[in-house]
Amino acid sequence: MTLIARRLAGHLARGFVMILVVATISFFIINNIPGDPMAARYEKLVEGGMAPEAARQAVKVLYGFQPDGTLWQQYTEFIGGLFRLDLGVSVSRPGTPVLDVLTDAAKWTVLPVLAGTLLSFLVGIILGVYAAIKRTGRLGDALSVSGSLLHGVPQYVLALLLTMIFATLLGVLPADGSVDILYEPGWNAGYLGSLVEHALLPVLTYALSAYGGWILAMKSSVVTVLGDDFILAAELRGMKRSIVFRYIARNAILPLFTMLALSLGLLLGGAVFIEKIFNYPGLGWLLIGAVNDRDYALMGGAFLLITVGTILANIVADLFYTVIDPRVRSGEEVS
Amino acid sequence: MSATLIPETGSAASTLRRNFWRGVWRVMRRKPSRLVGVVILAAFVLMAVLGPMLLPSPLPNDPTAITQPPSAEHWFGTDPQGRDVLALVVTGSRYVLLTAAITALITVVAGTSIGLFSGFKRGRWDTVLMRLTDMKLTIPGLPLLLVLATVWRFGSPWQMGLVLGLLGWGGVARAVRSQTLSLRERGFIEAARGLGLSTTHIIGKELLPSMAPYIAMNMLIAVTGAVYSQVGLFFLGVLPYESDNWGVMLNLAVFQAGALITPNAIGYLLGPLLAILLLTLAIVLVVDAMDEIFNPRLREE
């Protein structure tokens, strides 16, 4: 238990540093934007008859730091605001705090990404075992090739192809938005059905883009385990095939948990494309909108939250791995 | 450039090389599909180098035939300006491949030097560098590029390749470092030191040749990522663009010509889409073949 606590502490410290790094990147980018939007807004407010002091405050509320003052002052103000969970105010949605916009959007990103990850993980490892056992046959070859191909295809290409097939040609799935506006939001069948219907294509895209990685990883992991002595021993003792199979699967899955975080991070990054194509109001969609609308506070916030999601995925995956892998638990170094 | 070729006289080296090529040949012969990857890749390079020279510039446009579906005359139809989509794909390939080449170069140089340094020095430097690499791998790449797009002009392949290369060396650095460490474990470096060989000699003549395949493989993976990122950035429409490249075409096809709604623009969407698919497929096949050549454990008995 202490081991887990120690690991968690290390993770939290690293995560904290990461958040600082990302916030710093955002700060310097906002500070170096050509045309200096803060100064421009300040000038505009003063010209509009506002007192300089009030104008300064207004800009501070918008961007999280004052338009004049030294770089260090601005930076500490910006980071200080971050820890008070004050991420500024969205310009493209006048008067709405960035934090509120982000918390509304987060569910549209997190849930489909998780669903897609789980789906691809399950299908990928089951097929990966077959691909490894039958690796000299036609089926194994076909599975490996399918994995390699899907692993290499960009997410937006998959999304566009799926949209073309299911929405344009067949017309069976909606290609746009998160839910039909015909339905009253709430726990009624129509609304929920529409939610699921609209989520199908994004989830399918996430799942297909991650599936290739899982099947390839599981295949090579199983091939490694197959060469281990204990499998040979089990076979010599005349154990049933099914039990041997379970042995193999259990030992081969372990290393894959380290990949879970990587995969989640990849999908979170890819959310930008998928949400743009399916017009799905998640964090990636917000980020693109913010870049196009020059809504810098929202842009920095969305970027930060996507990174926080990746960090959390890393922490959870690592702790999970610590709990299930006996080698880590006993304090051995596992490379 | 005065290149004087020094013939390798070491018999051991030449036997190794012969065996290596024999291995390559065996892998290729057993699965001809692998050769296909090399052929497609070469075709793309030729297309990017020669294509724009062979086609008239600017491309001829036919105002009477705008956004046409594929036909015998225009295999992938025409764009909203009445230009042939296939010709656009060919001219657009230069930007994509030039960027990929610049990215590859930066990735290899930065990744190899950082990986070697880390593996050699170990200790504190190694920890710091690897922490940095981890950090870079944790920050989601595309969102970062999107944010950067507000201050950095990605207009030319050089500007694009530079950023992608500086963001993409993590994988190569990790691979090189772990190779260096494993060769270290085997007493490889100690033995060379004992023979009084200089560090440059050890790295240049002994280490790099044995690592080249790993570097090349990770470089190809990085290049795939780069192609995917740059086309994606243009596709999202957050960058000002100077020329038509595949990403710009995709963006215009989907968000302006309505390729997902009207069948007329379908060729305009499929042209660049198939080009990206083919290029990724080629790279995947080549990486796969390399994996098999250099990783004897994967060779089917």
Side-chain angles (χ1 to χ4, degrees), chain B residues 106-107 110-111 114 132-133 136 164-174:
Chain B
I106 296 175
T107 309
I114 288 171
L132 267 177
T133 315
K136 234 168 41 61
L164 291 175
L166 290 176
L167 291 174
W169 49 257
V172 178
R174 278 215 161 283

Side-chain angles (χ1 to χ4, degrees), chain A residues 14 17-18 21-22 25-26 28-29 32-34 135-136 141 148-149 152-157 160-161 163-164 168 220 223-224 265 268-270 272-273 276-277 284 287-288 291-292 294 296 299 303 306-307 310-311 314, chain B residues 31 131 134-144 146-151 224 227-233 235-238 250-251 254-255 259-262 266 269-270 273 276-277 280-281 284 288 297-298 300-301:
Chain A
R14 267 200 296 277
V17 173
M18 280 287 306
V21 168
V22 171
I25 293 174
S26 292
F28 278 106
I29 282 177
N32 282 310
I33 281 167
R135 66 183 175 284
T136 46
D141 249 359
S148 295
L149 284 187
V153 175
Q155 280 168 319
Y156 50 89
V157 173
L160 287 170
L161 287 174
T163 312
M164 265 201 275
T168 315
S220 69
V223 170
T224 315
L268 274 173
V272 177
F273 292 125
K276 168 87 176 172
I277 291 170
L287 182 63
I288 299 168
V291 171
N292 281 329
R294 298 282 178 259
Y296 299 115
M299 178 188 84
F303 178 43
I306 292 174
T307 314
T310 320
I311 296 168
N314 269 309
Chain B
K31 283 201 181 156
R131 275 282 145 80
D134 278 345
M135 229 178 230
K136 234 168 41 61
L137 291 172
T138 311
I139 298 180
L142 253 149
L144 178 63
L146 273 175
V147 172
L148 277 177
T150 54
V151 284
T224 321
V227 168
Y228 158 46
S229 305
Q230 55 153 322
V231 173
L233 273 177
F235 166 67
L236 291 174
V238 290
L250 280 179
N251 175 281
V254 173
F255 301 112
L260 295 175
I261 304 154
T262 82
I266 206 101
L269 172 64
L270 278 178
L273 211 56
I276 299 163
L277 271 179
T280 349
L281 173 73
V284 166
D288 201 38
R297 261 203 329 204
L298 283 178
E300 290 115 75
E301 311 310 326

Side-chain angles (χ1 to χ4, degrees), chain B residues 181-294:
Chain B
L181 287 176
S182 94
L183 288 173
R184 231 204 154 96
E185 293 277 291
R186 282 183 259 162
F188 195 90
I189 296 171
E190 306 311 314
R193 279 262 162 76
L195 289 171
L197 300 170
S198 68
T199 310
T200 28
H201 177 94
I202 296 174
I203 290 177
K205 287 271 180 213
E206 313 291 337
L207 286 185
L208 283 182
S210 63
M211 280 187 207
Y214 294 93
I215 295 174
M217 262 169 65
N218 281 287
M219 175 195 88
L220 278 174
I221 291 165
V223 166
T224 321
V227 168
Y228 158 46
S229 305
Q230 55 153 322
V231 173
L233 273 177
F234 281 105
F235 166 67
L236 291 174
V238 290
L239 300 179
Y241 54 89
E242 290 156 25
S243 61
D244 280 316
N245 63 48
W246 299 346
V248 174
M249 287 172 74
L250 280 179
N251 175 281
L252 295 175
V254 173
F255 301 112
Q256 309 230 343
L260 295 175
I261 304 154
T262 82
N264 267 8
I266 206 101
Y268 193 30
L269 172 64
L270 278 178
L273 211 56
L274 286 178
I276 299 163
L277 271 179
L278 262 181
L279 183 60
T280 349
L281 173 73
I283 294 179
V284 166
L285 285 173
V286 172
V287 171
D288 201 38
M290 285 175 99
D291 209 8
E292 190 125 342
I293 292 164
F294 300 115

